[in-house]
Amino acid sequence: MYGITDSQEQQAVRQLNSKVDQFFDNFSLGTLLNRAGIRKLRGASPVRLLRSIFMLAFNQENFFRGIVEREQGFGKDAAYDLLQGANYNWRRLLLQLAAKIATVFSLLTEEPKRKVLIIDDSTYERPHARKVELLARVRDNCRKRFTRGFKLLTMAWSDGYSTLPVDFALLSSRDPEKRLWGEKRRLDRRCCAARRRQEAVTKSTDLLDGMIKRIMASGIDFGYILMDSWFAFPSIIRKLHRHRPVICMLKDMPNIRFRHQGVSRRVGEIYRNLHKRPGRAKILAGTTVELTCGLPAKIVFVRHRSTKNW
């Protein structure tokens, strides 16, 4: 019985390795690594190192157990050097790979769907970290409290069937007093690592325009930009609308007003002045408004999923 189980496990491992090798070959990971400036300096090749790190998620192992403790045919220093390379453009690698995969998805899907770019941020916690570079006290908006870690700003492409991460930014705090640890060493301002450190202390909303321009330049096609209420400010909507129409959630904030029927009103005031649909209709009301810059927009009020509110 144990022999049969071991044989099945070995067969599953071989199938997984074969699929990973096929993925690396089909999407030309070696070429993409070279375009991103990730090239072999000494020791193992970047493709081999990346494949070993890539396999950690499928083997359910962390970096220490899967790379440091396990014999991989290369030293742990080679893996650390790959991840710490100051001139390695990981963002370009992710974007180029996502563009290739999105093209394949478009060929596989028969039914036409509206392709969208989703913008969201989340908290990347490092509660036990002490000397992580640019570690900061960041606010977790879901739990309404501060925690150690970073803010992870992510952009993802979706065609209604699949979702692909296409760009990201790991953000610290703009306030130096909230940073628990500074930069470890000075770097050449022209290298990727220095630019990412400068980006980490930049306001997240100031990064959106540049990220979208990079995504569009890579050839990834989308028709709309989706985002939640955290980014739904008229100034941001106006800036992103230059690229694609924006769909977002809104909050009834006292300082955010829209021009409705010639009067500047809050979202809650607009809702009270509209005729609502009777019964258990999911869409309660809708109307056309103008942003402060004069850009026309449409607000749709829907019923809350779990409460009686809109």
Side-chain angles (χ1 to χ4, degrees):
M1 182 63 70
Y2 290 108
I4 295 175
T5 304
D6 292 341
S7 177
Q8 291 175 345
E9 291 180 355
Q10 292 173 3
Q11 184 178 1
V13 170
R14 286 196 296 269
Q15 290 177 351
L16 176 60
N17 288 329
S18 176
K19 289 180 179 179
V20 171
D21 291 337
Q22 186 178 4
F23 173 79
F24 271 59
D25 291 338
N26 291 343
F27 291 99
S28 307
L29 261 298
T31 303
L32 298 183
L33 284 167
N34 185 63
R35 291 177 181 173
I38 306 173
R39 304 181 180 93
K40 180 179 178 180
L41 297 177
R42 59 182 181 274
S45 68
V47 177
R48 185 180 177 187
L49 294 170
L50 181 63
R51 186 189 182 283
S52 299
I53 298 173
F54 185 77
M55 289 293 294
L56 294 178
F58 299 99
N59 294 329
Q60 298 182 356
E61 293 179 330
N62 58 27
F63 189 87
F64 182 80
R65 182 176 297 177
I67 301 296
V68 178
E69 289 188 337
R70 176 173 296 183
E71 180 61 35
Q72 295 281 5
F74 54 83
K76 64 177 182 180
D77 291 341
Y80 282 118
D81 290 343
L82 175 72
L83 298 179
Q84 296 175 359
N87 294 310
Y88 296 165
N89 197 334
W90 294 101
R91 164 176 283 163
R92 182 179 298 172
L93 174 65
L94 174 65
L95 193 54
Q96 290 180 349
L97 179 59
K100 279 179 169 285
I101 298 175
T103 302
V104 174
F105 285 169
S106 298
L107 297 175
L108 294 175
T109 53
E110 298 178 354
E111 212 178 304
K113 287 281 187 178
R114 297 187 184 276
K115 300 171 184 177
V116 298
L117 184 69
I118 306 167
I119 302 174
D120 197 11
D121 68 340
S122 56
T123 303
Y124 177 50
E125 284 192 277
R126 297 294 302 272
H128 305 295
R130 291 291 183 270
K131 297 182 180 180
V132 176
E133 192 168 11
L134 294 180
L135 181 71
R137 291 180 68 250
V138 295
R139 180 170 174 78
D140 189 336
N141 296 316
C142 295
R143 290 183 286 180
K144 309 296 183 182
R145 66 179 181 85
F146 281 89
T147 183
R148 286 172 174 262
F150 303 90
K151 280 289 185 180
L152 181 60
L153 177 63
T154 308
M155 290 195 178
W157 173 90
S158 177
D159 61 353
Y161 298 104
S162 308
T163 303
L164 286 173
V166 293
D167 206 347
F168 70 95
L170 195 61
L171 306 178
S172 180
S173 175
R174 297 177 62 203
D175 187 358
E177 295 183 358
K178 292 182 180 178
R179 296 179 209 153
L180 306 177
W181 198 258
E183 295 185 20
K184 291 184 178 179
R185 57 194 175 100
R186 288 195 171 275
L187 299 167
D188 187 342
R189 293 184 180 181
R190 296 169 295 179
C191 71
C192 294
R195 292 199 296 267
R196 296 304 290 269
R197 282 159 175 76
Q198 180 61 38
E199 178 185 78
V201 294
T202 304
K203 190 176 179 181
S204 61
T205 53
D206 293 339
L207 302 175
L208 299 179
D209 192 58
M211 294 173 74
I212 292 177
K213 287 180 179 178
R214 281 193 298 270
I215 294 170
M216 296 178 66
S218 70
I220 296 178
D221 179 39
F222 58 93
Y224 296 89
I225 299 173
L226 271 59
M227 55 190 186
D228 63 11
S229 58
W230 182 251
F231 300 99
F233 294 92
S235 58
I236 300 175
I237 296 173
R238 179 185 59 185
K239 185 184 298 184
L240 301 187
H241 182 76
R242 301 170 186 169
H243 307 293
R244 292 291 187 274
V246 177
I247 301 174
C248 58
M249 295 179 65
L250 292 176
K251 281 185 178 180
D252 185 16
M253 293 182 285
N255 297 328
I256 304 300
R257 294 178 174 270
F258 301 91
R259 180 166 290 277
H260 179 245
Q261 297 177 350
V263 181
S264 178
R265 293 170 176 166
R266 291 169 42 182
V267 175
E269 295 172 343
I270 295 174
Y271 178 74
R272 288 192 292 269
N273 283 275
L274 294 177
H275 176 72
K276 286 75 174 179
R277 293 183 181 178
R280 297 292 299 173
K282 293 183 179 180
I283 299 179
L284 299 174
T287 186
T288 302
V289 298
E290 285 187 0
L291 276 63
T292 53
C293 62
L295 182 69
K298 185 173 183 179
I299 297 180
V300 179
F301 297 90
V302 299
R303 192 180 302 277
H304 197 279
R305 293 179 180 178
S306 56
T307 67
K308 295 181 179 180
N309 299 328
W310 51 272

